[in-house]
């Protein structure tokens, strides 16, 4: 519910459990007043009590006042010495800005940026228009709230009503939190260790989480949370901030002179410059803000529900996910039609329903040095072409999925021989060759259209319903022959817009096309891609031990229904660790599951384990799609991992525990469950016993003696003893 209280020039946005208050102060500036647990009006009291200063022009202390005023948009060069939110460079080189309130409107539904992923629905949207008289630029700050959610979405439209200007920074949001001792939680990593969790005290000065790689990346993720010092998984206040964006980004926290904290972010501004002619507009990506007064656990559930309710393509939110066999680790580039048919046969025998043909089916691609861009079937490798495989899948009742890497080009390819200018390159600069390949210039719509036509031809011809969209390197050089010299600073954002336009074309032409995004493992796990691709490949690291860290971190701000998990070969192909087959199955069952190994090499024992894993997974698949992911034992803080999936109505739950270091000398330990109904009785299938929710959550269940990397699971259903 959004309200404007005229008497106090105050805006009150109240969601499920939060209130967000701003006011237009006496001098016409938009000031933040409060963001936290829900309030109940009392505006007069709030105005009297809040120590909000109203800077006046000509005030002797104006500089100080601007520098400490909680702002919804940081000015530049005009008394606020914290990092600005928007920087506009005018033709004369001047950059000073001072945004004042002009007008506002409140509308039903969501107002969304063009060409960018966005919420599909919303309850109400507040637009506050600020005006900068120096540059004649208007800012439209948008705030969208939702029914029954603690998420709030913000973004900004910048309208140039003056002379040609250059945006040098265009962040999506700014929020000044009051004096406190805060901790910062963010996700860092590298290839094979995506989204590791780091939590540390937030010191003075600026802490920046940033990617300059043209994507979310393995190393960072467009998410951070600000926690009260004593907040943990279940208790305390925290604020999550996330950009629904897949390109280079920046999120920063600045602890100022009064121990207050400015959090803001958006498109990375290093090298960014966007030319705005008179009358032109610029739209920033949307940012999602989540307030939780019950710790990180609740914050994560809010993010997960937010994506399921408002962002992910509705036709896929509750649709049964494919149970996949992917041939990558089974064959790499070395396969032919017979081998693939064998994989399909083995999959059918075990109850797997979808076969995904990975890299190597197109152009001339027998290793990673060639073929990217040649999206036509390699018929000498695949005898009978793709038709032989898709027909075979159909005959066997298995769905078919196909791998693409649409943004890339190999120098050794037909496409490069005909169109070398399609690759990103700056004359005189030797390009970086990540994984022996170059990146296509997706700032150029002609190139995007060309790739769309190639993909569309294959998807349409073979009636493909599933694609894995990979992206195996970072974007370097950042220069386009398509853009004029004045617009090169637009490169990275335009590249991302190109990616979105291809995704938009594919999903609108093929509404039943299920896309799994991927990037050299999990470097493109972000809210922007989730708008088009309901699932994302979490990491190439499918090791039964290290996966628990990756899945724990990913669950901070993404729904478990998007966290694609496969049971893979052993020893693991990435780190050579040996983990039990059962463990790999258990960990992979905490997300949309699949297999990534040579099924023909499985022993009879392993085959029967796969069958058991699949039937176990089928029991919990609805929890993966619609349930809450609840974190129980933090592997970053102990030698244990435990998590559970719980249905929203608390009728059904699934618990997985892994021992990361054998616990033989640890004495007796218990695992307390969460999110059950205290007053209900539950049946634990593994124990064949009825236990109350109260006992399961307060006393817990005994953790058995386990070897390194051994797991146990529990399947729990609400049932009374006297029910059958
Ligand atoms: C990336 C993906 C893998 C696989 C290969 C194919 O590394 O993460 O799953 O698709 O590319 O080249």
């Amino acid at each position: 519910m959004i309200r404007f209280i005229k008497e106090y020039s105050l805006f009150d946005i109240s969601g499920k459990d939060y209130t967000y208050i701003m006011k237009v102060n006496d001098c016409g500036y938009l000031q933040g007043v409060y963001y936290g647990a829900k309030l109940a009006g009392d505006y007069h009291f709030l105005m009297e009590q809040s120590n909000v200063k109203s800077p006046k022009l000509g005030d002797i202390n104006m500089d100080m006042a601007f520098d400490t005023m909680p702002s919804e948009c940081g000015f530049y060069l005009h008394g606020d010495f914290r990092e600005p939110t928007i920087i506009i460079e005018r033709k004369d080189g001047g950059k000073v800005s001072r945004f004042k309130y002009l007008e506002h409107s409140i509308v039903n539904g969501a107002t969304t940026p063009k060409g960018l992923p966005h919420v599909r629905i919303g309850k109400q949207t507040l637009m506050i228009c600020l005006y900068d008289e120096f540059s004649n630029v208007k800012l439209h700050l948008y705030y969208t709230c939702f029914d029954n959610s603690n998420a709030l979405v913000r973004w900004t439209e910048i309208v140039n009503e003056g002379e040609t200007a250059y945006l040098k920074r265009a962040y999506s949001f700014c929020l000044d939190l009051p004096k406190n001792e805060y901790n910062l939680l963010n996700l860092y990593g590298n290839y094979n260790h995506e989204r590791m969790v780091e939590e540390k005290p937030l010191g003075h000065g600026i802490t920046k989480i940033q990617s300059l790689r043209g994507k979310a990346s393995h190393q960072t993720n467009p998410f951070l949370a600000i926690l009260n010092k004593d907040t943990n998984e279940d208790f305390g206040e925290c604020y999550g901030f996330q950009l629904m964006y897949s390109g280079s980004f920046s999120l920063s926290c600045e602890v100022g002179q009064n121990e207050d904290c400015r959090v803001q972010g958006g498109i990375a501004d290093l090298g960014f410059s966007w030319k705005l002619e008179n009358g032109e507009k610029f739209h920033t990506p949307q940012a999602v803000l989540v307030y939780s007064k019950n710790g990180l656990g609740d914050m994560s559930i809010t993010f997960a529900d937010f994506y399921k309710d408002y962002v992910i393509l509705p036709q896929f939110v509750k649709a049964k996910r494919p149970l996949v066999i992917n041939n990558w680790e089974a064959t790499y580039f070395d396969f032919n039609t017979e081998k693939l048919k064998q994989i399909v046969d083995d999959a059918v025998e075990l109850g797997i329903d979808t076969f995904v043909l990975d890299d190597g089916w197109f152009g001339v691609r027998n290793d990673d040095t060639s073929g990217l861009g040649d999206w036509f079937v390699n018929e000498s490798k695949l005898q009978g072409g793709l038709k032989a495989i898709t027909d075979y899948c159909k005959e066997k009742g298995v769905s078919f999925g196909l791998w693409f890497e649409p943004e890339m080009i190999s120098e050794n390819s037909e496409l490069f021989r005909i169109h070398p200018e399609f690759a990103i390159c700056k004359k005189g600069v030797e390009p970086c060759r990540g994984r022996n390949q170059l990146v296509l210039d997706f700032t150029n719509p002609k190139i995007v259209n060309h790739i769309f036509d190639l993909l569309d031809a294959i998807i349409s011809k073979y009636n493909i319903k599933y694609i894995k969209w990979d992206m195996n390197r970072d974007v370097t050089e950042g220069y386009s022959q398509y853009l004029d010299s004045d617009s090169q600073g637009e490169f990275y954002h335009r590249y991302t817009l190109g990616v979105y336009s291809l995704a938009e074309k594919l999903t609108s032409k093929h509404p039943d096309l299920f896309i799994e995004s991927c990037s050299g493992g999990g470097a493109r796990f972000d809210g922007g891609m989730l708008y088009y691709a309901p699932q994302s490949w979490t990491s190439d690291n499918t090791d039964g031990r290290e996966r628990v860290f990756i899945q724990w971190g990913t669950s901070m701000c993404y729904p478990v229904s998007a966290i694609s998990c496969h049971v893979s070969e052993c020893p693991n192909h990435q780190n050579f660790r040996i983990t039990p087959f059962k463990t790999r199955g258990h960990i992979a069952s905490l997300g949309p599951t699949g297999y990534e190994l040579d099924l023909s090499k499985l022993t009879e024992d392993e085959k029967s384990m796969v069958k058991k894993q699949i039937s176990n997974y089928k029991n919990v698949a609805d929890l993966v799609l619609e349930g809450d992911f609840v974190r129980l034992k933090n592997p970053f803080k102990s030698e244990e991992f435990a998590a559970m999936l719980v249905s929203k109505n608390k009728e059904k739950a699934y618990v997985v525990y892994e021992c990361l270091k054998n616990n033989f000398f640890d004495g007796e330990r218990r695992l307390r469950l969460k999110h059950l109904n205290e007053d209900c009785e539950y049946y634990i299938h593994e124990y064949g016993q009825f236990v109350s929710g109260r006992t399961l959550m307060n006393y817990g269940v005994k953790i058995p003696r386990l070897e390194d990397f051994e797991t146990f699971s529990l399947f729990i259903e609400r049932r009374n003893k006297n029910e059958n």
Side-chain angles (χ1 to χ4, degrees):
M1 171 81 162
I2 302 176
R3 290 199 296 166
F4 177 61
I5 315 297
K6 206 167 168 202
E7 194 183 344
Y8 304 106
S9 300
L10 177 146
F11 301 96
D12 176 336
I13 307 173
S14 283
K16 187 174 153 230
D17 305 308
Y18 74 88
T19 295
Y20 192 112
I21 294 184
M22 302 163 268
K23 74 165 268 177
V24 181
N25 69 24
D26 302 345
C27 299
Y29 301 106
L30 183 66
Q31 279 189 194
V33 173
Y34 175 81
Y35 180 30
K38 202 161 193 158
L39 303 182
D42 298 319
Y43 303 125
H44 184 74
F45 179 79
L46 276 183
M47 288 304 97
E48 277 184 357
Q49 294 277 312
S50 65
N51 60 353
V52 171
K53 288 178 190 150
S54 301
K56 287 191 173 56
L57 287 174
D59 259 10
I60 202 156
N61 288 326
M62 189 188 78
D63 288 358
M64 279 298 293
F66 276 128
D67 202 36
T68 54
M69 180 179 90
S71 180
E72 292 293 293
C73 174
F75 311 162
Y76 193 36
L77 302 177
H78 202 69
D80 184 350
F81 298 100
R82 295 164 294 182
E83 286 268 317
T85 310
I86 307 277
I87 303 178
I88 303 158
E89 183 176 295
R90 297 183 306 275
K91 243 185 164 172
D92 64 3
K95 294 195 187 95
V96 64
S97 63
R98 189 180 68 198
F99 294 100
K100 282 187 141 188
Y101 169 84
L102 196 66
E103 57 187 350
H104 75 272
S105 63
I106 298 170
V107 296
N108 286 333
T111 309
T112 54
K114 292 223 161 55
L116 286 157
H118 55 78
V119 290
R120 294 174 196 276
I121 43 169
K123 186 177 169 59
Q124 273 183 310
T125 299
L126 163 68
M127 184 282 291
I128 304 179
C129 175
L130 306 182
Y131 177 66
D132 173 43
E133 61 190 324
F134 305 124
S135 55
N136 218 350
V137 164
K138 277 183 185 162
L139 300 184
H140 295 146
L141 310 183
Y142 289 99
Y143 302 77
T144 298
C145 65
F146 304 87
D147 262 335
N148 205 26
S149 168
N150 285 324
L152 172 69
V153 163
R154 291 185 57 176
W155 66 283
T156 303
E157 176 181 67
I158 300 149
V159 187
N160 184 12
E161 296 192 343
E163 293 188 327
T164 307
Y166 295 84
L167 284 174
K168 296 290 176 180
R169 174 180 287 180
Y171 282 170
S172 302
F173 75 100
C174 168
L175 175 76
D176 286 331
L177 289 166
K179 178 183 168 78
N180 201 346
E181 274 181 76
Y182 293 110
N183 277 358
L184 166 70
L185 184 145
N186 66 288
L187 305 173
Y188 71 98
N190 56 29
Y191 173 62
N192 275 331
H193 296 100
E194 296 89 340
R195 293 169 298 285
M196 299 290 102
V197 177
E198 181 171 48
E199 192 184 327
K200 59 189 172 217
L202 196 53
H204 291 94
I206 296 164
T207 310
K208 205 169 196 176
I209 313 292
Q210 170 170 278
S211 162
L212 301 175
R213 296 167 187 269
K215 61 181 180 187
S217 86
H218 300 96
Q219 291 76 6
T220 53
N221 197 265
F223 161 80
L224 62 82
I226 303 289
L227 286 61
N228 280 351
K229 224 175 104 199
D230 49 5
T231 294
N232 61 24
E233 197 56 37
D234 304 301
F235 303 101
E237 288 189 297
C238 59
Y239 300 84
F241 301 87
Q242 191 181 44
L243 298 168
M244 241 196 280
Y245 189 57
S246 314
S248 295
F249 73 89
S250 172
L251 279 169
S252 70
C253 316
E254 181 171 3
V255 177
Q257 54 175 322
N258 286 351
E259 320 292 328
D260 47 3
C261 175
R262 169 165 293 183
V263 189
Q264 57 180 351
I267 297 165
D269 61 328
L270 191 65
F272 174 81
S273 175
W274 193 280
K275 190 174 174 182
L276 272 189
E277 302 284 9
N278 175 276
E280 284 185 342
K281 294 174 178 168
F282 182 83
H283 287 182
T284 72
Q286 290 192 322
V288 192
L289 279 61
V290 167
Y291 168 76
S292 163
K293 62 173 179 177
N294 298 316
L296 289 166
D298 259 21
M299 175 199 74
S300 299
I301 290 174
T302 304
F303 273 114
D305 288 346
F306 168 81
Y307 279 107
K308 289 188 279 190
D309 293 342
Y310 308 116
V311 179
I312 291 175
L313 282 163
Q315 61 269 39
F316 294 119
V317 173
K318 293 187 181 170
K320 182 176 153 267
R321 289 297 164 78
L323 209 157
V324 163
I325 173 73
N326 177 303
N327 72 305
W328 179 241
E329 290 201 0
T331 65
Y332 293 102
F333 294 103
D334 185 17
F335 56 82
N336 56 26
T337 304
E338 276 324 296
K339 177 69 201 164
L340 299 184
K341 283 185 174 173
Q342 179 61 52
I343 293 177
V344 173
D345 287 342
D346 293 334
V348 172
E349 186 198 326
L350 298 171
I352 293 170
D353 58 39
T354 302
F355 167 59
V356 177
L357 175 53
D358 212 280
D359 196 354
W361 58 269
F362 51 89
V364 179
R365 186 152 167 97
N366 295 315
D367 56 37
D368 64 14
T369 61
S370 60
L372 291 171
D374 295 344
W375 301 113
F376 45 84
V377 185
N378 181 345
E379 302 225 357
S380 56
K381 187 168 181 176
L382 281 183
Q383 306 77 17
L386 213 46
K387 190 170 180 317
I389 308 296
T390 51
D391 282 355
Y392 195 70
C393 284
K394 210 169 179 184
E395 188 188 318
K396 298 283 170 176
V398 167
S399 308
F400 177 76
L402 194 59
W403 182 95
F404 286 100
E405 200 179 357
E407 297 146 80
M408 298 296 155
I409 181 165
S410 304
E411 284 159 287
N412 184 4
S413 68
E414 282 304 303
L415 185 66
F416 190 80
R417 280 184 276 278
I418 301 167
H419 289 296
E421 78 285 3
F422 276 17
I424 292 171
C425 84
K426 166 95 184 71
K427 266 205 181 107
V429 176
E430 182 72 10
C432 293
R433 290 180 179 80
R435 209 197 188 197
N436 306 305
Q437 63 202 47
L438 300 180
V439 185
L440 288 168
D441 183 357
F442 263 34
T443 68
N444 184 345
K446 226 180 78 186
I447 298 176
V448 174
N449 289 341
H450 184 91
I451 296 298
F452 169 73
D453 290 341
L454 294 175
L455 264 57
D456 180 40
I458 299 267
I459 292 168
S460 303
K461 180 164 179 197
Y462 300 100
N463 194 17
I464 290 172
K465 302 276 181 254
Y466 179 131
I467 66 166
K468 178 175 171 190
W469 176 331
D470 211 337
M471 197 261 191
N472 274 317
R473 56 160 291 181
D474 298 326
V475 184
T476 53
E477 282 77 55
Y479 187 88
S480 169
Q481 299 180 49
Y482 166 73
L483 300 171
D484 59 29
S485 61
D486 235 13
S487 307
Q488 293 299 334
E490 301 176 9
F491 177 86
Y492 275 95
H493 183 52
R494 282 196 186 273
Y495 178 87
T496 308
L497 292 176
V499 171
Y500 290 148
S501 84
L502 178 61
E504 185 64 46
K505 280 166 186 285
L506 286 172
T507 50
S508 359
K509 170 121 195 244
H510 304 278
D512 51 355
L513 180 69
F514 183 88
I515 304 180
E516 171 161 315
S517 68
C518 173
S519 178
R524 231 192 209 161
F525 216 120
D526 63 72
M529 285 316 280
L530 281 182
Y531 178 80
Y532 305 102
Q535 205 166 291
S536 190
W537 182 229
T538 311
S539 177
D540 278 353
N541 187 346
T542 43
D543 166 54
R545 175 188 182 274
E546 294 187 7
R547 257 289 160 146
V548 300
F549 295 87
I550 298 169
Q551 290 174 218
W552 183 280
T554 309
S555 77
M556 276 297 151
C557 53
Y558 298 107
V560 76
S561 64
I563 302 177
S564 178
C565 297
H566 289 178
V567 177
S568 65
E569 295 270 350
C570 192
N572 183 271
H573 283 197
Q574 307 299 325
N575 64 8
F576 314 108
R577 182 179 281 113
I578 294 173
T579 54
F581 204 90
K582 185 176 157 199
T583 297
R584 282 172 276 145
H586 271 149
I587 302 306
S589 66
L590 290 172
T593 207
Y595 288 80
E596 179 122 3
L597 37 73
D598 192 344
L599 296 171
S600 67
K601 288 194 190 140
L602 295 183
T603 62
E604 283 311 309
D605 253 16
E606 287 171 333
K607 280 188 180 171
S608 68
M609 271 195 267
V610 172
K611 286 186 186 161
K612 243 173 105 183
Q613 286 171 351
I614 290 178
S615 90
N616 172 52
Y617 180 73
K618 286 186 174 161
N619 278 335
V620 301
D622 56 334
L623 297 178
V624 169
L625 275 185
E626 297 177 54
D628 290 336
F629 185 74
V630 181
R631 295 181 293 261
L632 300 176
K633 290 258 179 203
N634 185 346
F636 290 95
K637 293 189 175 165
S638 67
E639 301 286 359
E640 302 169 282
F641 161 85
M644 62 195 286
L645 290 162
V646 189
S647 63
K648 289 275 179 204
N649 60 9
K650 302 180 190 289
E651 294 271 310
K652 197 172 153 183
Y654 174 58
V655 182
V656 173
Y657 174 95
E658 179 171 351
C659 169
L660 301 176
K661 189 170 146 224
N662 90 45
N663 57 11
F664 289 175
F665 303 106
D666 288 355
E668 196 171 304
R669 281 171 316 148
R670 294 193 298 265
L671 176 66
R672 289 164 144 199
L673 308 188
K674 297 183 197 170
H675 280 238
L676 299 175
N677 190 332
E678 286 204 327
D679 301 319
C680 289
E681 203 161 26
Y682 290 89
Y683 181 72
I684 306 184
H685 285 255
E686 287 72 7
Y687 300 169
Q689 268 181 37
F690 293 89
V691 190
S692 72
R694 203 175 284 277
T695 302
L696 290 172
M697 291 194 288
N698 295 325
Y699 180 86
V701 296
K702 186 174 168 177
I703 298 171
R705 302 241 142 150
L706 296 170
E707 297 275 6
D708 290 359
F709 321 132
E710 271 190 338
T711 48
F712 74 87
S713 71
L714 298 175
F715 184 58
I716 299 171
E717 279 180 298
R718 199 194 64 73
R719 218 190 268 173
N720 291 333
K721 263 189 211 113
N722 42 12
E723 278 175 34
N724 283 327

